[in-house]
Amino acid sequence: MRYPTGLSVALLLWALPAAANAASCESYVGQTVAPQTFAAVVARVAAIAAKGKGETAAQVESRKAAALASASGPLVIAKEPEAQEYFEYDAAAQKLGIVEYAFQNKYFNVKKAFSAAGYGGIASETGTDFQAVIEQAEKDVASPSAGNSSGAKQVGKLQLTSKVIYERAAPYREDDWVVHLFASAAPKPHFVGTLPMTLAEATALRPRLKLAFVVEPKAPFFVSGRLKYGATPHLEEVDSTEDFQVLVADFQCGLVLTDAGKVLGAYPTK
């Protein structure tokens, strides 16, 4: 099958079904889709979000909403699995279980990020938010030494980058601090679903599995900035900064697909 590229891909992805329920998620199964990268989505949303000369903040938000609404559909955004161990095979049942942590297993402090970017009161106080870290990387930009001529330790520098989809704050629960994106994932071991297959099929397929989120962007659409954490002696005196990009959107489905883009499973989110 020849995959569409460029604008045709964007139009295809914007036109996929929009209803956030189990039936609409199930409609993806068997389809071949071409998920967009987070970078491609951010470039498009950021361009829409750019403030024109003389525009007020309210006018920018209104224009962004109108531009995205005219696209008539949600976005399908690629997500690399967190680890193959979250695809668990049950030999007795001959099923491959998809654990929720394959979709999301990294931390990001939305409240601090939004506050740094001037958006207060959006994320929760406890850090329990409906969110998914799509990409996260760190790089040492300076190495700490044992000390200088005065005996003082040099402060190392760590540069973090985080690319995140954020939906909303979630209520804190003492009995389960993990926020589950998927309606089916609450009981342990937090399977979002299973795929019937033989052991030989699972062994061949696991390294090729890809993931994607189906999301519907919403105001304020895109938030970016930098967090500065400062030197922390209990963390080996590393002076950390974090550049972040956050796409604000409602989660609708999580997709499990092959490396050729065929959707094997589609699971509704909360």
Side-chain angles (χ1 to χ4, degrees):
M1 176 179 179
R2 183 180 178 184
Y3 292 100
T5 58
L7 180 59
S8 61
V9 169
L11 293 175
L12 169 66
L13 297 179
W14 285 101
L16 289 171
N21 54 49
S24 67
C25 287
E26 186 66 23
S27 71
Y28 286 95
V29 177
Q31 290 191 45
T32 297
V33 299
Q36 296 187 78
T37 64
F38 185 89
V41 171
V42 163
R44 183 174 183 179
V45 174
I48 295 172
K51 187 176 180 181
K53 186 176 181 180
E55 275 191 311
T56 66
Q59 288 172 329
V60 173
E61 293 301 318
S62 177
R63 178 169 53 75
K64 284 190 291 185
L68 290 169
S70 67
S72 302
L75 292 167
V76 180
I77 300 176
K79 158 73 182 178
E80 284 295 319
E82 291 291 341
Q84 283 193 35
E85 67 188 72
Y86 298 128
F87 302 130
E88 297 185 6
Y89 187 71
D90 184 337
Q94 291 199 312
K95 291 181 178 180
L96 185 68
I98 311 300
V99 181
E100 182 178 39
Y101 300 134
F103 284 91
Q104 162 60 357
N105 198 30
K106 288 187 172 69
Y107 177 74
F108 177 72
N109 194 317
V110 181
K111 183 175 178 59
K112 285 186 177 180
F114 277 32
S115 178
Y119 289 89
I122 296 179
S124 70
E125 293 287 345
T126 62
T128 55
D129 299 291
F130 287 107
Q131 63 169 308
V133 176
I134 304 302
E135 298 176 34
Q136 196 169 66
E138 62 180 52
K139 180 176 69 172
D140 290 315
V141 293
S143 299
S145 64
N148 54 28
S149 58
S150 64
K153 289 185 178 180
Q154 297 294 311
V155 175
K157 293 184 182 296
L158 184 65
Q159 178 63 60
L160 307 172
T161 57
S162 296
K163 300 177 181 181
V164 183
I165 300 174
Y166 168 77
E167 180 178 303
R168 60 188 170 89
Y172 176 72
R173 290 176 52 188
E174 290 187 359
D175 61 326
D176 190 358
W177 62 271
V178 177
V179 175
H180 299 289
L181 289 173
F182 296 89
S184 57
K188 290 184 179 180
H190 308 308
F191 286 127
V192 300
T194 59
L195 301 172
M197 63 184 67
T198 66
L199 176 58
E201 290 171 333
T203 301
L205 185 63
R206 279 178 59 179
R208 298 173 46 217
L209 288 178
K210 303 294 182 181
L211 304 177
F213 282 110
V214 181
V215 302
E216 186 78 46
K218 64 179 181 179
F221 301 102
F222 177 65
V223 177
S224 64
R226 169 172 285 190
L227 280 169
K228 294 184 178 181
Y229 295 102
T232 51
H234 63 288
L235 292 177
E236 300 179 354
E237 297 191 351
V238 174
D239 186 2
S240 300
T241 59
E242 183 174 18
D243 291 322
F244 59 87
Q245 296 179 327
V246 181
L247 177 70
V248 184
D250 286 321
F251 290 100
Q252 297 186 0
C253 310
L255 306 181
V256 177
L257 53 160
T258 69
D259 52 2
K262 183 178 180 179
V263 179
L264 303 177
Y267 310 104
T269 56
K270 288 186 175 181

